[in-house]
Structure formats: structure tokens, C-alpha cells
């Protein structure tokens, strides 16, 4: 088992290490690099490899995952993926499965996001999918890893990426080859168990709630008001958001506000008189101190730093 634990001294170095051990990509930094929180752990098993990646900054990433499938599992935070097929989002105990040679982007990859990535050779996984009777999926797919085979597969991947390659078993080529086959066949069984599209059906009530929040994030929503729009009770709504996104409805609302405010700050002219307070209040922020803390945690810089760095 190949073994690498990179603690880069620059963001460029981290990008190069990620490209060498995971996938070629284009990355755009949305905030200053927080080197204390960045790094990459790599475990190589031949046709299968695993990484644990934290950019340590808010970034946007584009890649095509050439010649291999990618399973991107957010260990902390959420991953949003865009492709010509649409948009998806993975939270805790979910994963985005990306097919090979398919352009995708991961916008708004927050500094708080820690990801476990599994790279599987294209033909290698296709063979396992064929044996499991599963057709390869042409589009990025969000799958559930919270229960059953998905949970077991995720736990195995976590244990592999955290173990040392110095042991007698881990370093033995036969063990390494069989472990790669086990991970590939396990993923094929997970995909077979979850049906043809691999994703859970999002309840219509949850879609109504999300659409209402994203259409008017400046509104001083209460949970009861969101539940009324969704057409369900508060407890049902809370459960839906926890299961789908790993957060409460109001936490989801605050995340939407952060993204909107970040975009406005990044585009604002700092010489126009625009202030962080004015922009934040416009979008419904009631507690500026909490907002600033959450913003820094997500984007790796203060709101005022984003405003000062905005293009003139």
C-alpha cells in the first residue's frame, strides 16, 4: 500500500499533490489559505486509491475524473456538484459518485469541508458493476451511506485511509490487491442495492421548502413558516432536512445566506461605499457577530477581507 501524508507549505503544492494522488483538476481559491487546516492523506492500492483531503480554504474545483470513477464523501460539511446533467449535493453519510471523463464542478467548496475520496479505475469498476448486474451511470449520482451496505462500505474506506501502510499485511501485494477488489465489489453491491439512479427520492415537501428558502433567503423565516410552505409538520420538516442535508431548516437558510452574501461581497466595489453590515442586513442577518464567525469558518477569511479583495 502506497502511503503519503502531505502537509503542504503552499496552496499550489497541495493542488499538485492532489493532482498526483487523486485527479487532475482546476482549482480557484475563494479565500486565503489556512495552512493549519489543509492537507492530504493518500493510500494507494493499485486500481483503487483513497485520499482524505482538506483544502483549508474556500475553493471551487473543476475536473473530468479522467479514466476513473470517483466517490467523494464529505466527512464534514457539504459538497455541491454541478454537471450538464444537473445539480446534486452530498452531506454527512452521503457521497457523490462521478463517472469517468465527465466534466463536473464543485462550487462553494467551503474551508470547513473535509472529504474522503475513493478513486477506482474505469474498467476495473465496470467489471465489478457487470458482475453485480449494475449498469454504469452516465451522470454524477448522490448515494446514501447512512445504513446497510453503504454504511459498512464507508466504514471500511475510513479505516483504510486512517491506517498506516507500514504493517506486514498492509504492505503485502496480495493483501493490497484483494483489498482493492473488495472495495470495488463492495461499491458495486452498494449501487445495486440502491436502485437504478442510486439516490434517495427527495420528498416533494422538502423540495418545496428548499425552493422557498432559496427564492427568498432575506426573509426572517421561522421553522413553522417553512413547514407551512412545505405542507407538513415542524417535526417532519426537521427530520427531512437532517436526513437529506445533515442540518436543520434554519441552518440550511443560514448557509444559503452565506453563499449569497459571499457572492455580493466578492463582486462589490469597495470604493462605492458598500459595507459588510449593509449587505449582511439586506440578506436577513440578525446577529452580525455570529454571521462573521460562520463566514470565516466557511470561507477562511472575514467578510471585510472579501470586500477589500473584490475587483474594482
Amino acid at each position: 500500500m502506497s502511503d503519503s501524508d502531505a502537509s503542504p507549505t503552499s496552496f499550489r503544492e497541495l493542488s499538485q499533490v492532489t493532482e498526483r494522488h487523486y485527479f487532475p483538476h482546476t482549482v480557484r481559491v475563494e479565500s486565503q489559505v489556512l495552512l493549519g487546516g489543509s492537507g492530504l492523506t493518500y493510500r494507494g492500492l493499485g486500481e483503487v486509491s483513497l485520499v482524505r483531503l482538506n483544502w483549508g480554504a474556500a475553493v471551487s474545483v473543476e475536473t473530468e475524473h479522467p479514466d476513473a470513477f470517483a466517490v467523494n464523501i464529505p466527512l464534514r460539511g457539504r459538497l455541491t456538484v454541478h454537471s450538464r446533467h444537473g445539480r446534486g449535493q452530498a452531506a454527512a453519510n452521503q457521497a457523490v459518485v462521478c463517472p469517468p471523463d465527465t466534466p463536473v464542478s464543485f462550487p462553494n467548496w467551503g474551508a470547513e469541508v473535509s472529504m474522503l475520496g475513493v478513486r477506482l479505475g474505469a474498467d476495473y469498476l465496470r467489471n465489478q458493476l457487470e458482475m453485480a448486474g449494475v449498469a454504469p451511470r452516465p451522470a454524477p449520482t448522490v448515494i446514501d451511506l447512512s445504513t446497510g451496505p453503504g454504511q459498512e462500505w464507508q466504514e471500511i474506506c475510513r479505516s483504510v485511509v486512517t491506517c498506516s501502510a507500514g504493517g506486514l499485511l498492509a504492505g503485502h501485494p496480495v493483501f493490497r490487491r484483494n483489498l482493492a477488489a473488495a472495495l470495488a465489489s463492495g461499491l458495486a453491491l452498494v449501487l445495486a442495492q440502491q436502485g437504478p439512479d442510486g439516490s434517495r427520492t427527495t420528498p416533494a415537501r422538502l423540495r418545496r421548502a428548499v425552493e422557498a428558502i432559496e427564492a427568498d433567503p432575506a426573509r426572517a423565516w421561522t421553522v413553522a413558516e417553512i413547514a407551512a410552505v412545505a405542507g407538513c409538520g415542524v417535526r417532519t420538516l426537521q427530520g427531512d432536512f437532517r436526513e437529506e442535508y445533515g442540518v436543520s431548516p434554519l441552518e440550511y437558510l443560514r448557509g444559503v445566506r452565506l453563499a449569497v452574501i459571499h457572492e455580493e461581497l466578492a463582486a462589490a466595489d469597495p470604493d462605492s461605499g458598500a459595507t459588510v453590515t449593509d449587505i449582511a442586513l439586506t440578506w436577513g442577518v440578525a446577529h452580525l457577530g455570529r454571521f462573521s464567525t460562520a463566514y470565516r469558518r466557511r470561507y477562511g477569511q472575514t467578510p471585510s477581507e472579501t470586500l477589500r479583495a473584490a475587483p474594482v
Side-chain angles (χ1 to χ4, degrees), residues 169-193:
L169 280 178
H172 198 284
V174 174
F175 179 83
R176 181 180 59 194
R177 185 167 57 250
N178 288 335
L179 181 55
L183 290 175
S185 61
L187 177 60
L189 293 173
V190 170
L191 295 176
Q193 184 261 344

Side-chain angles (χ1 to χ4, degrees), residues 161-232:
V161 83
T162 56
C163 77
S164 171
L168 294 177
L169 280 178
H172 198 284
V174 174
F175 179 83
R176 181 180 59 194
R177 185 167 57 250
N178 288 335
L179 181 55
L183 290 175
S185 61
L187 177 60
L189 293 173
V190 170
L191 295 176
Q193 184 261 344
Q194 296 202 13
D197 66 356
S199 61
R200 296 175 298 178
T201 301
T202 301
R205 59 180 179 268
L206 180 57
R207 292 198 300 271
R208 289 193 294 269
V210 168
E211 289 170 1
I213 289 172
E214 294 185 346
D216 191 8
R219 176 174 170 176
W221 290 98
T222 66
V223 178
E225 289 171 338
I226 300 172
V229 170
C232 64

Side-chain angles (χ1 to χ4, degrees), residues 23 47 64-69 100-101 119-123 126:
F23 283 103
E47 289 288 344
E64 296 184 3
H65 299 113
D67 303 320
F69 290 83
D101 307 305
R119 184 186 190 278
L120 306 100
D123 291 338
R126 286 192 183 107

